[in-house]
């Protein structure tokens, strides 16, 4: 009975149904093996320290303006395709190895990144990074469609190599 009622409501507004059906959402994860402890690695996923392994990372901090590694930090970035993204750091817990963000490219996509870092032996850990992209307009579907297994493998290799390199350089200076 409920399904029949829902079908009737949707049939009365075909434009809303077409728009909803046209917008895509996709989730993709990858896991990387890192040569450091959870306490050493987790801060590298924060908005300030990411620049240590991602040289093109250039956030413009809004709250606080000097930048920080804590929940509630708000900043903006510009993507490779020129879209401005507004970011909110929603979870930052080094002890639990969790870092989570929400970022929006207005009129384009709404996105989540969830990072979970867990121990994997002595001074080693694994980090699972999960992206969810949601199109806000039909133009955002192309960005959402990029989140596939090929994309995840490219990201896995890049993140793992870059972060392990940063960890190795950091230990050389200790």
């Amino acid at each position: 009975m409920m399904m029949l009622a829902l079908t009737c409501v949707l049939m009365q507004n075909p434009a809303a149904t077409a728009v909803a059906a046209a917008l895509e959402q996709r989730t993709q994860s990858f896991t990387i093996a890192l040569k450091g402890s959870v306490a050493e690695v987790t801060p590298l996923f924060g908005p300030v320290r990411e620049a240590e392994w991602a040289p093109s990372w250039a956030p413009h901090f809004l709250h606080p303006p000097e930048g920080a590694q804590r929940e509630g930090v708000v900043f903006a970035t510009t993507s490779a395709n020129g879209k401005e993204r507004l970011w909110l750091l929603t979870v930052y817990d080094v002890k639990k190895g969790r870092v989570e963000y929400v970022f929006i490219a207005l009129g384009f996509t709404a996105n989540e990144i969830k990072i979970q870092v867990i121990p994997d032996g002595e001074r080693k850990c694994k980090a699972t990074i999960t992206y969810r992209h949601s199109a806000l307009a039909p133009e955002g579907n192309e960005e959402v469609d990029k989140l596939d297994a090929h994309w995840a493998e490219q990201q896995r290799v890049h993140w793992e190599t870059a972060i392990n390199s940063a960890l190795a350089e950091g230990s050389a200076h200790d």
Side-chain angles (χ1 to χ4, degrees):
M1 184 61 104
M2 190 66 139
M3 194 62 140
L4 180 59
L6 180 60
T7 302
C8 289
V9 169
L10 291 175
M11 302 240 343
Q12 291 173 357
N13 190 353
T17 304
V19 169
L23 298 181
E24 296 183 29
Q25 182 182 69
R26 186 175 286 180
T27 302
Q28 188 64 249
S29 297
F30 57 92
T31 300
I32 56 179
L34 300 169
K35 298 171 185 164
S37 68
V38 171
E40 292 169 315
V41 167
T42 302
L44 294 174
F45 295 111
V48 174
R49 300 224 20 226
E50 184 169 335
E52 293 176 30
W53 60 272
S56 64
W57 180 249
H60 169 71
F61 290 97
L62 303 169
H63 299 290
E66 66 278 4
Q69 300 254 115
R70 63 170 170 74
E71 290 179 14
V73 171
V74 178
F75 58 96
T77 63
T78 303
S79 69
N81 64 1
K83 300 280 184 195
E84 185 169 354
R85 296 173 170 170
L86 185 62
W87 296 70
L88 173 63
L89 180 56
T90 57
V91 175
Y92 186 77
D93 189 333
V94 174
K95 288 181 183 176
K96 292 183 180 177
R98 289 184 54 217
V99 179
E100 298 181 9
Y101 296 93
V102 170
F103 66 97
I104 307 289
L106 289 177
F108 192 63
T109 59
N111 313 274
E112 296 174 272
I113 301 175
K114 295 183 178 191
I115 302 162
Q116 180 67 64
V117 184
I118 60 170
D120 188 38
E122 192 175 326
R123 290 191 49 101
K124 292 181 182 176
C125 62
K126 288 187 177 180
T128 298
I129 298 93
T130 301
Y131 279 78
R132 180 187 338 245
H133 288 323
S134 304
L136 299 176
E139 301 80 45
N141 285 339
E142 185 177 332
E143 188 72 14
V144 172
D145 288 342
K146 290 178 186 176
L147 241 59
D148 61 13
H150 176 72
W151 173 90
E153 179 58 15
Q154 287 181 317
Q155 294 302 307
R156 185 195 66 74
V157 170
H158 166 68
W159 285 45
E160 188 172 274
T161 303
I163 294 170
N164 278 325
S165 177
L167 288 164
E169 287 176 21
S171 65
H173 299 296
D174 289 343

